[in-house]
Amino acid sequence: MSIIDLIVKKRDRGKFSTTEIGELIDYVCNPEIPDYQISALLMALYLNGLDDDETSDLTRAMATSGDTLNFPNTPGAIIDKHSTGGVGDKTSLVLVPLLAAAGLKVAKLSGRGLGHTGGTLDKLGVFDGFQVDLNKTAIEALVNENGMVISGQTDRIVPADKRLYSLRDLTGTVESMPLIASSIMSKKIASGARYILLDVKVGSGAMFSDPEKAKTLALKMVGIGKTLGVPTKAVLTDMNVPLGKMVGNALEVREAIDTLHGGGDQRFRELCIRLASKALALTSGSNNDQQFDNHIVGLINSGKAFDKFRLLISSQGGDLTAVDHPEMLPLADFQKTLYSDTKGYISGIEAKKIGIGSMVSGAGRSRKEDKINLGAGVELHVSLGDSVNKGSPLATVYASDSQRLAKAIEVILPAFTYALEKPDPSRLILAEY
Ligand code: URA
């Protein structure tokens, strides 16, 4: 079928066959097909949707549109964990070595941060020499040798998504469930995952603040995994408040290292343990949650997970000095602590405001080309439900310069809300599919 026929078919609410979806992705990967035709197709897809068969076909065709990672000689469970993105979400830094310590294999292809959420590659940039531009051979070798790798996605993995995503961004077609689900799942499948664990965030700092929408996305991705023979589990987790106490690259690395040593923020630690435990359940087909939780806690307390983190950093060329002495990680020069002007209980710490405040402080990018300051960000001194007095410290902001500091404070202060009564504890894991 010609590209025009495909556009017309979807415009008129037709259903694409597997062959037509294959042709569609061939057109997407063909530079001779102009952006305006792909954009028209995207709008037709956005408005008239894709059913479950079409979405799975699209995912499969996208996943094989470029290079794929293969691990034919790697025995065992190759799992990928994906978060839909949030504020203070440094889970991959803990989960990748933790899962490797548990005997699973993780080939994690990550991205850089944009907007109010951070990116794992930026965080790892705090370690001098750490290589994130690994080629396919190096990625496969590290997974075979160490059971883990964290690398940037090469241009040759899922090129169809690169073109589609950049056009969706410019054509008002990002917020389409089948397009989001196929975009995420195709990249996981192309990176050789035999199991997929999804952390779908819900709340003010997440892609979806509406739990129903997050649930729809989660179910779509689990359905795609089932159809394509890649067992997939999705967990819906809260992102109304930032995850952990640290937001910003070096700050988050400090918190991740604390957590790998058995300390850190209680809520963040709980999420890491629960996700790791779910990964063991998914890959073993057993549901002995308590036993898996205990095993994971044991891997942290024995130092095995931290040893794997050291190996992750050194095997990709990173300097271990800051791993062993996280107090040497950078902190931006312009610092100010914010204090409560009220007595009461902390009833909210709005994730999106903290995320934007951290970006404004210098930790993030509003445009892809922006430079970031690894030492910038926000350190929270309170958690939800804490009792505060007038003058209690709420947060310290670390910024690149005095202007950024002032702007960040303006955004961050209103993130805190107070109540006279102690609020009910908010749930971290909201649902599982
Ligand atoms: N993340 C992705 O990888 N793709 C989308 O479409 C949205 C979020």
Side-chain angles (χ1 to χ4, degrees), residues 230-424:
V230 184
T232 299
K233 181 163 188 72
V235 183
L236 253 56
T237 68
D238 178 74
M239 188 33 75
N240 280 306
V241 292
L243 188 57
K245 292 272 177 41
M246 305 291 206
V247 180
N249 299 292
L251 287 166
E252 291 187 38
V253 169
R254 285 176 188 237
E255 189 164 51
I257 291 175
D258 274 354
T259 305
L260 284 162
H261 281 308
D265 175 75
Q266 187 271 331
R267 203 170 149 90
F268 174 58
R269 174 182 155 87
E270 184 188 339
L271 183 65
C272 293
I273 293 169
R274 297 300 301 136
L275 288 176
S277 178
K278 305 256 169 246
L280 291 182
L282 178 68
T283 53
S284 68
S286 150
N287 270 330
N288 199 336
D289 279 16
Q290 192 57 53
Q291 190 189 324
F292 290 140
D293 280 8
N294 292 343
H295 182 52
I296 293 297
V297 170
L299 292 172
I300 295 175
N301 292 346
S302 63
K304 287 187 175 146
F306 179 70
D307 287 347
K308 278 284 186 186
F309 183 70
R310 288 185 95 250
L311 180 62
L312 174 76
I313 302 303
S314 62
S315 65
Q316 293 187 222
D319 183 0
L320 288 174
T321 312
V323 175
D324 295 330
H325 300 281
E327 68 284 359
M328 291 170 69
L329 285 164
L331 284 176
D333 289 339
F334 291 78
Q335 308 177 359
K336 189 170 169 75
T337 297
L338 312 179
Y339 298 93
S340 167
D341 59 2
T342 315
K343 177 175 163 54
Y345 293 94
I346 300 289
S347 59
I349 308 172
E350 196 189 323
K352 187 156 189 183
K353 290 198 170 85
I354 301 289
I356 294 175
S358 169
M359 180 184 81
V360 170
S361 75
R365 304 178 181 82
S366 57
R367 293 166 313 153
K368 275 189 195 132
E369 322 59 77
D370 291 347
K371 283 241 170 319
I372 56 169
N373 180 332
L374 292 171
V378 185
E379 177 179 6
L380 297 170
H381 301 305
V382 287
S383 301
L384 221 51
D386 281 359
S387 137
V388 289
N389 289 311
K390 217 170 160 177
S392 300
L394 297 173
T396 301
V397 184
Y398 301 86
S400 302
D401 58 49
S402 58
Q403 273 179 338
R404 282 184 176 274
L405 184 64
K407 276 195 202 149
I409 290 170
E410 225 172 87
V411 183
I412 289 165
L413 258 182
F416 296 90
T417 50
Y418 306 86
L420 290 175
E421 303 282 318
K422 190 171 169 69
D424 289 337

Side-chain angles (χ1 to χ4, degrees), residues 31-79:
E32 286 176 14
I33 301 295
D35 284 351
Y36 57 78
Q37 285 187 310
I38 307 293
S39 301
L41 188 56
L42 278 170
M43 188 53 82
L45 291 170
Y46 177 89
L47 293 173
N48 293 329
L50 291 158
D51 71 10
D52 289 347
D53 294 336
E54 290 173 299
T55 308
S56 294
D57 284 341
L58 182 67
T59 308
R60 189 189 292 108
M62 284 169 74
T64 51
S65 65
D67 281 356
T68 53
L69 299 182
N70 300 297
F71 302 97
N73 304 317
T74 308
I78 300 178
I79 186 164

Side-chain angles (χ1 to χ4, degrees), residues 82 161 165 168 174 179-180 183-184 187 207:
H82 178 81
D161 182 61
Y165 196 84
R168 282 167 62 205
V174 168
L179 293 181
I180 297 172
S183 164
I184 294 173
K187 287 176 280 194
M207 186 178 355

Side-chain angles (χ1 to χ4, degrees), residues 178-199:
L179 293 181
I180 297 172
S182 55
S183 164
I184 294 173
M185 291 295 283
S186 61
K187 287 176 280 194
K188 304 289 110 189
I189 289 167
S191 64
R194 293 180 194 150
Y195 298 87
I196 298 174
L197 178 65
L198 302 164
D199 179 4

